[in-house]
Amino acid sequence: MSTDTGISIHQTFLPHTDPEASLAFYRDALGFEVLLDVGQGTMRWITVGPGGGSGPSIVLTPPAADPGVTDAERRTVAEMMAKGTYAAVILGASDLDSTFERVAASGAEVMQEPIDQPYGFRDCAFRDPAGNTVRIKQL
C-alpha cells in the first residue's frame, strides 16, 4: 500500500574535485543538461539533470566546503573520495547497453560492465572523475 506524502526527491549532492572533468562526464558522456553553474574555479556548484529540468537533479559540489567541517574531516572525505567509497548515485536508462557503450567510449572509468544482478535488475557501473560510484540500471 502506498501513500502519497506530497514529498518527492528534488536534488541530491555529489562532490567534485574538477568541475571541467565533471562536466565532461555528466554533460558530455551521460547527456545531462547543465541547469545551474555558480561559483568559480574549483569552488563551483553545478546542477545537472535529464533534459527539461523538471525532474530530480544532481548538484556537483566542492567537497567539504561547509565552514563547519574540520581539517581532519576534510582529509577523511578526500581519502574516501580517492578510494571511491564516499558517494554514489543510481541512475536509470531505457537502453542500458547502448548507454554503457556511449559512456565507456567517452573514456569514463568502467567499474562493471552490464550484468544481470541476483537482486533482480541489470546494471553497470562507472566512477566519475571525483571517484563517485555511478551505477546505471536498466529501467
Short mmCIF file of all heavy atoms in Angstrom, two decimals, residues 12-59:
data_model
loop_
_atom_site.label_atom_id
_atom_site.label_comp_id
_atom_site.label_asym_id
_atom_site.label_seq_id
_atom_site.Cartn_x
_atom_site.Cartn_y
_atom_site.Cartn_z
N THR A 12 20.03 15.82 -5.20
CA THR A 12 21.00 15.14 -4.36
C THR A 12 22.35 15.76 -4.65
O THR A 12 22.53 16.41 -5.67
CB THR A 12 20.99 13.62 -4.60
OG1 THR A 12 21.77 12.99 -3.59
CG2 THR A 12 21.51 13.26 -5.97
N PHE A 13 23.29 15.58 -3.76
CA PHE A 13 24.60 16.21 -3.89
C PHE A 13 25.69 15.16 -4.05
O PHE A 13 25.68 14.15 -3.35
CB PHE A 13 24.90 17.07 -2.66
CG PHE A 13 24.01 18.29 -2.56
CD1 PHE A 13 22.71 18.18 -2.13
CD2 PHE A 13 24.49 19.52 -2.92
CE1 PHE A 13 21.88 19.29 -2.04
CE2 PHE A 13 23.68 20.65 -2.84
CZ PHE A 13 22.37 20.53 -2.40
N LEU A 14 26.61 15.41 -4.97
CA LEU A 14 27.80 14.60 -5.14
C LEU A 14 29.00 15.54 -5.16
O LEU A 14 28.92 16.62 -5.77
CB LEU A 14 27.77 13.82 -6.46
CG LEU A 14 26.82 12.67 -6.61
CD1 LEU A 14 26.92 12.07 -8.01
CD2 LEU A 14 27.11 11.59 -5.57
N PRO A 15 30.09 15.15 -4.53
CA PRO A 15 31.26 16.02 -4.57
C PRO A 15 31.98 15.93 -5.92
O PRO A 15 31.90 14.93 -6.62
CB PRO A 15 32.15 15.46 -3.45
CG PRO A 15 31.79 14.01 -3.40
CD PRO A 15 30.32 13.95 -3.72
N HIS A 16 32.65 17.03 -6.27
CA HIS A 16 33.53 17.03 -7.44
C HIS A 16 34.87 17.60 -7.04
O HIS A 16 34.97 18.39 -6.10
CB HIS A 16 32.91 17.80 -8.61
CG HIS A 16 32.95 19.30 -8.44
ND1 HIS A 16 34.10 20.05 -8.56
CD2 HIS A 16 31.98 20.19 -8.15
CE1 HIS A 16 33.83 21.32 -8.36
NE2 HIS A 16 32.54 21.44 -8.08
N THR A 17 35.91 17.20 -7.74
CA THR A 17 37.24 17.73 -7.49
C THR A 17 37.74 18.54 -8.68
O THR A 17 38.69 19.29 -8.56
CB THR A 17 38.24 16.60 -7.19
OG1 THR A 17 38.17 15.63 -8.24
CG2 THR A 17 37.93 15.94 -5.85
N ASP A 18 37.10 18.37 -9.83
CA ASP A 18 37.49 19.07 -11.05
C ASP A 18 36.21 19.39 -11.82
O ASP A 18 35.64 18.50 -12.46
CB ASP A 18 38.42 18.18 -11.87
CG ASP A 18 38.89 18.80 -13.17
OD1 ASP A 18 38.19 19.69 -13.71
OD2 ASP A 18 39.94 18.38 -13.66
N PRO A 19 35.75 20.65 -11.77
CA PRO A 19 34.47 20.98 -12.41
C PRO A 19 34.43 20.65 -13.91
O PRO A 19 33.43 20.14 -14.39
CB PRO A 19 34.32 22.48 -12.19
CG PRO A 19 35.28 22.84 -11.12
CD PRO A 19 36.34 21.80 -11.10
N GLU A 20 35.51 20.91 -14.62
CA GLU A 20 35.50 20.65 -16.07
C GLU A 20 35.45 19.16 -16.37
O GLU A 20 34.74 18.72 -17.28
CB GLU A 20 36.70 21.32 -16.75
CG GLU A 20 36.67 22.84 -16.67
CD GLU A 20 35.38 23.46 -17.18
OE1 GLU A 20 34.83 23.00 -18.20
OE2 GLU A 20 34.89 24.43 -16.55
N ALA A 21 36.18 18.35 -15.61
CA ALA A 21 36.13 16.89 -15.79
C ALA A 21 34.74 16.37 -15.44
O ALA A 21 34.21 15.48 -16.12
CB ALA A 21 37.19 16.20 -14.95
N SER A 22 34.13 16.93 -14.40
CA SER A 22 32.78 16.51 -14.03
C SER A 22 31.77 16.88 -15.11
O SER A 22 30.88 16.10 -15.43
CB SER A 22 32.37 17.15 -12.70
OG SER A 22 33.13 16.57 -11.66
N LEU A 23 31.92 18.07 -15.70
CA LEU A 23 31.05 18.46 -16.81
C LEU A 23 31.22 17.51 -17.99
O LEU A 23 30.24 17.11 -18.63
CB LEU A 23 31.32 19.90 -17.24
CG LEU A 23 30.71 20.97 -16.36
CD1 LEU A 23 31.25 22.35 -16.75
CD2 LEU A 23 29.19 20.94 -16.43
N ALA A 24 32.46 17.14 -18.29
CA ALA A 24 32.70 16.21 -19.40
C ALA A 24 31.99 14.88 -19.15
O ALA A 24 31.45 14.28 -20.08
CB ALA A 24 34.20 15.99 -19.60
N PHE A 25 31.94 14.44 -17.90
CA PHE A 25 31.28 13.17 -17.59
C PHE A 25 29.76 13.32 -17.58
O PHE A 25 29.05 12.61 -18.30
CB PHE A 25 31.77 12.64 -16.23
CG PHE A 25 31.14 11.33 -15.84
CD1 PHE A 25 31.57 10.15 -16.39
CD2 PHE A 25 30.11 11.29 -14.91
CE1 PHE A 25 30.99 8.93 -16.04
CE2 PHE A 25 29.52 10.10 -14.54
CZ PHE A 25 29.96 8.91 -15.11
N TYR A 26 29.24 14.24 -16.77
CA TYR A 26 27.79 14.33 -16.59
C TYR A 26 27.08 14.96 -17.79
O TYR A 26 26.00 14.51 -18.17
CB TYR A 26 27.46 15.08 -15.29
CG TYR A 26 27.75 14.24 -14.08
CD1 TYR A 26 28.97 14.35 -13.41
CD2 TYR A 26 26.85 13.29 -13.62
CE1 TYR A 26 29.25 13.55 -12.32
CE2 TYR A 26 27.13 12.49 -12.54
CZ TYR A 26 28.34 12.62 -11.89
OH TYR A 26 28.62 11.81 -10.81
N ARG A 27 27.67 15.97 -18.39
CA ARG A 27 27.04 16.63 -19.53
C ARG A 27 27.34 15.88 -20.82
O ARG A 27 26.43 15.50 -21.55
CB ARG A 27 27.54 18.08 -19.62
CG ARG A 27 26.95 18.87 -20.80
CD ARG A 27 27.70 20.17 -21.03
NE ARG A 27 29.11 19.88 -21.31
CZ ARG A 27 30.11 20.71 -21.01
NH1 ARG A 27 29.88 21.86 -20.42
NH2 ARG A 27 31.36 20.36 -21.28
N ASP A 28 28.63 15.65 -21.09
CA ASP A 28 29.02 15.10 -22.39
C ASP A 28 28.82 13.59 -22.49
O ASP A 28 28.28 13.11 -23.48
CB ASP A 28 30.46 15.49 -22.70
CG ASP A 28 30.69 17.00 -22.67
OD1 ASP A 28 29.71 17.76 -22.82
OD2 ASP A 28 31.84 17.41 -22.47
N ALA A 29 29.25 12.83 -21.50
CA ALA A 29 29.13 11.37 -21.57
C ALA A 29 27.71 10.89 -21.24
O ALA A 29 27.15 10.06 -21.96
CB ALA A 29 30.14 10.70 -20.64
N LEU A 30 27.13 11.41 -20.13
CA LEU A 30 25.79 10.97 -19.75
C LEU A 30 24.69 11.71 -20.50
O LEU A 30 23.56 11.22 -20.58
CB LEU A 30 25.57 11.14 -18.24
CG LEU A 30 26.35 10.18 -17.34
CD1 LEU A 30 26.12 10.52 -15.88
CD2 LEU A 30 25.99 8.73 -17.62
N GLY A 31 24.97 12.90 -21.01
CA GLY A 31 23.97 13.66 -21.76
C GLY A 31 23.07 14.52 -20.91
O GLY A 31 22.02 14.97 -21.37
N PHE A 32 23.45 14.78 -19.65
CA PHE A 32 22.64 15.65 -18.80
C PHE A 32 22.78 17.11 -19.22
O PHE A 32 23.80 17.50 -19.77
CB PHE A 32 23.07 15.53 -17.34
CG PHE A 32 22.59 14.27 -16.64
CD1 PHE A 32 22.98 14.02 -15.35
CD2 PHE A 32 21.77 13.34 -17.27
CE1 PHE A 32 22.56 12.88 -14.68
CE2 PHE A 32 21.34 12.20 -16.62
CZ PHE A 32 21.73 11.98 -15.31
N GLU A 33 21.75 17.89 -18.93
CA GLU A 33 21.80 19.33 -19.16
C GLU A 33 22.41 20.00 -17.93
O GLU A 33 22.21 19.55 -16.80
CB GLU A 33 20.40 19.91 -19.35
CG GLU A 33 19.77 19.59 -20.67
CD GLU A 33 18.41 20.28 -20.83
OE1 GLU A 33 18.06 21.17 -20.03
OE2 GLU A 33 17.71 19.89 -21.77
N VAL A 34 23.12 21.09 -18.17
CA VAL A 34 23.59 21.92 -17.06
C VAL A 34 22.46 22.88 -16.73
O VAL A 34 22.06 23.69 -17.56
CB VAL A 34 24.88 22.68 -17.42
CG1 VAL A 34 25.29 23.62 -16.28
CG2 VAL A 34 26.00 21.70 -17.75
N LEU A 35 21.91 22.76 -15.54
CA LEU A 35 20.77 23.57 -15.12
C LEU A 35 21.21 24.83 -14.39
O LEU A 35 20.50 25.84 -14.42
CB LEU A 35 19.84 22.74 -14.24
CG LEU A 35 19.36 21.42 -14.87
CD1 LEU A 35 18.61 20.58 -13.85
CD2 LEU A 35 18.52 21.69 -16.10
N LEU A 36 22.36 24.77 -13.73
CA LEU A 36 22.88 25.92 -13.00
C LEU A 36 24.37 25.69 -12.78
O LEU A 36 24.80 24.57 -12.52
CB LEU A 36 22.16 26.04 -11.65
CG LEU A 36 22.42 27.26 -10.79
CD1 LEU A 36 21.95 28.54 -11.50
CD2 LEU A 36 21.70 27.13 -9.45
N ASP A 37 25.15 26.75 -12.89
CA ASP A 37 26.59 26.67 -12.68
C ASP A 37 26.99 27.96 -11.99
O ASP A 37 27.02 29.03 -12.61
CB ASP A 37 27.31 26.50 -14.01
CG ASP A 37 28.81 26.25 -13.88
OD1 ASP A 37 29.37 26.50 -12.79
OD2 ASP A 37 29.42 25.83 -14.88
N VAL A 38 27.25 27.89 -10.68
CA VAL A 38 27.60 29.09 -9.91
C VAL A 38 28.94 28.89 -9.22
O VAL A 38 29.34 27.78 -8.91
CB VAL A 38 26.51 29.45 -8.87
CG1 VAL A 38 25.20 29.78 -9.55
CG2 VAL A 38 26.31 28.34 -7.87
N GLY A 39 29.62 29.99 -8.96
CA GLY A 39 30.92 29.97 -8.33
C GLY A 39 32.01 30.10 -9.38
O GLY A 39 31.73 30.42 -10.56
N GLN A 40 33.25 29.86 -8.96
CA GLN A 40 34.37 29.97 -9.90
C GLN A 40 35.49 29.04 -9.47
O GLN A 40 35.54 28.62 -8.32
CB GLN A 40 34.85 31.41 -9.98
CG GLN A 40 35.30 31.99 -8.66
CD GLN A 40 35.62 33.47 -8.78
OE1 GLN A 40 35.54 34.06 -9.84
NE2 GLN A 40 35.97 34.08 -7.67
N GLY A 41 36.37 28.75 -10.41
CA GLY A 41 37.48 27.84 -10.12
C GLY A 41 36.97 26.49 -9.67
O GLY A 41 36.01 25.96 -10.23
N THR A 42 37.59 25.95 -8.63
CA THR A 42 37.14 24.66 -8.11
C THR A 42 35.97 24.83 -7.15
O THR A 42 35.36 23.84 -6.74
CB THR A 42 38.28 23.91 -7.38
OG1 THR A 42 38.78 24.74 -6.32
CG2 THR A 42 39.40 23.55 -8.34
N MET A 43 35.65 26.06 -6.79
CA MET A 43 34.52 26.33 -5.88
C MET A 43 33.26 26.61 -6.71
O MET A 43 32.69 27.70 -6.67
CB MET A 43 34.85 27.50 -4.95
CG MET A 43 35.97 27.20 -3.98
SD MET A 43 35.63 25.79 -2.90
CE MET A 43 34.51 26.54 -1.75
N ARG A 44 32.85 25.62 -7.47
CA ARG A 44 31.66 25.73 -8.30
C ARG A 44 30.62 24.71 -7.86
O ARG A 44 30.96 23.58 -7.52
CB ARG A 44 32.01 25.49 -9.78
CG ARG A 44 32.67 26.69 -10.40
CD ARG A 44 33.30 26.38 -11.73
NE ARG A 44 32.36 25.99 -12.78
CZ ARG A 44 32.78 25.54 -13.95
NH1 ARG A 44 34.06 25.41 -14.24
NH2 ARG A 44 31.90 25.20 -14.87
N TRP A 45 29.37 25.14 -7.87
CA TRP A 45 28.22 24.28 -7.62
C TRP A 45 27.51 24.15 -8.96
O TRP A 45 26.97 25.13 -9.48
CB TRP A 45 27.31 24.89 -6.56
CG TRP A 45 27.86 24.76 -5.17
CD1 TRP A 45 27.45 23.88 -4.22
CD2 TRP A 45 28.91 25.52 -4.56
NE1 TRP A 45 28.17 24.03 -3.07
CE2 TRP A 45 29.09 25.05 -3.25
CE3 TRP A 45 29.75 26.56 -5.01
CZ2 TRP A 45 30.04 25.55 -2.38
CZ3 TRP A 45 30.70 27.07 -4.13
CH2 TRP A 45 30.83 26.57 -2.85
N ILE A 46 27.53 22.94 -9.54
CA ILE A 46 27.00 22.70 -10.88
C ILE A 46 25.82 21.74 -10.76
O ILE A 46 25.97 20.61 -10.31
CB ILE A 46 28.07 22.09 -11.81
CG1 ILE A 46 29.32 22.99 -11.84
CG2 ILE A 46 27.51 21.88 -13.21
CD1 ILE A 46 30.54 22.33 -12.43
N THR A 47 24.64 22.21 -11.17
CA THR A 47 23.44 21.38 -11.11
C THR A 47 23.21 20.79 -12.49
O THR A 47 23.14 21.52 -13.48
CB THR A 47 22.22 22.21 -10.67
OG1 THR A 47 22.52 22.83 -9.41
CG2 THR A 47 21.00 21.33 -10.53
N VAL A 48 23.11 19.47 -12.56
CA VAL A 48 22.88 18.76 -13.81
C VAL A 48 21.67 17.85 -13.66
O VAL A 48 21.34 17.40 -12.56
CB VAL A 48 24.12 17.93 -14.25
CG1 VAL A 48 25.32 18.83 -14.54
CG2 VAL A 48 24.48 16.89 -13.19
N GLY A 49 21.01 17.57 -14.78
CA GLY A 49 19.88 16.66 -14.75
C GLY A 49 19.43 16.30 -16.14
O GLY A 49 19.90 16.89 -17.12
N PRO A 50 18.52 15.35 -16.23
CA PRO A 50 17.98 14.97 -17.53
C PRO A 50 17.34 16.17 -18.21
O PRO A 50 16.95 17.14 -17.55
CB PRO A 50 16.94 13.91 -17.19
CG PRO A 50 17.30 13.42 -15.84
CD PRO A 50 17.95 14.58 -15.14
N GLY A 51 17.23 16.11 -19.52
CA GLY A 51 16.66 17.20 -20.30
C GLY A 51 15.33 17.68 -19.77
O GLY A 51 14.53 16.93 -19.24
N GLY A 52 15.11 18.98 -19.88
CA GLY A 52 13.86 19.57 -19.45
C GLY A 52 13.90 20.20 -18.08
O GLY A 52 13.16 21.11 -17.79
N GLY A 53 14.78 19.69 -17.22
CA GLY A 53 14.97 20.29 -15.91
C GLY A 53 13.80 20.17 -14.95
O GLY A 53 13.77 20.84 -13.92
N SER A 54 12.80 19.33 -15.25
CA SER A 54 11.64 19.26 -14.37
C SER A 54 11.73 18.13 -13.35
O SER A 54 10.94 18.08 -12.42
CB SER A 54 10.37 19.09 -15.20
OG SER A 54 10.43 17.88 -15.92
N GLY A 55 12.70 17.24 -13.52
CA GLY A 55 12.82 16.11 -12.60
C GLY A 55 13.92 16.32 -11.59
O GLY A 55 14.48 17.41 -11.47
N PRO A 56 14.25 15.27 -10.85
CA PRO A 56 15.34 15.35 -9.88
C PRO A 56 16.66 15.72 -10.56
O PRO A 56 16.87 15.41 -11.74
CB PRO A 56 15.42 13.94 -9.29
CG PRO A 56 14.09 13.33 -9.57
CD PRO A 56 13.64 13.95 -10.86
N SER A 57 17.54 16.37 -9.82
CA SER A 57 18.83 16.76 -10.38
C SER A 57 19.94 16.45 -9.38
O SER A 57 19.69 16.15 -8.21
CB SER A 57 18.82 18.25 -10.74
OG SER A 57 18.54 19.04 -9.61
N ILE A 58 21.17 16.53 -9.87
CA ILE A 58 22.37 16.30 -9.07
C ILE A 58 23.11 17.62 -8.98
O ILE A 58 23.35 18.27 -10.00
CB ILE A 58 23.28 15.24 -9.71
CG1 ILE A 58 22.56 13.89 -9.79
CG2 ILE A 58 24.59 15.11 -8.95
CD1 ILE A 58 23.30 12.85 -10.63
N VAL A 59 23.48 18.01 -7.76
CA VAL A 59 24.31 19.20 -7.56
C VAL A 59 25.73 18.70 -7.29
O VAL A 59 25.98 18.01 -6.30
CB VAL A 59 23.81 20.07 -6.40
CG1 VAL A 59 24.70 21.31 -6.26
CG2 VAL A 59 22.35 20.46 -6.58
#
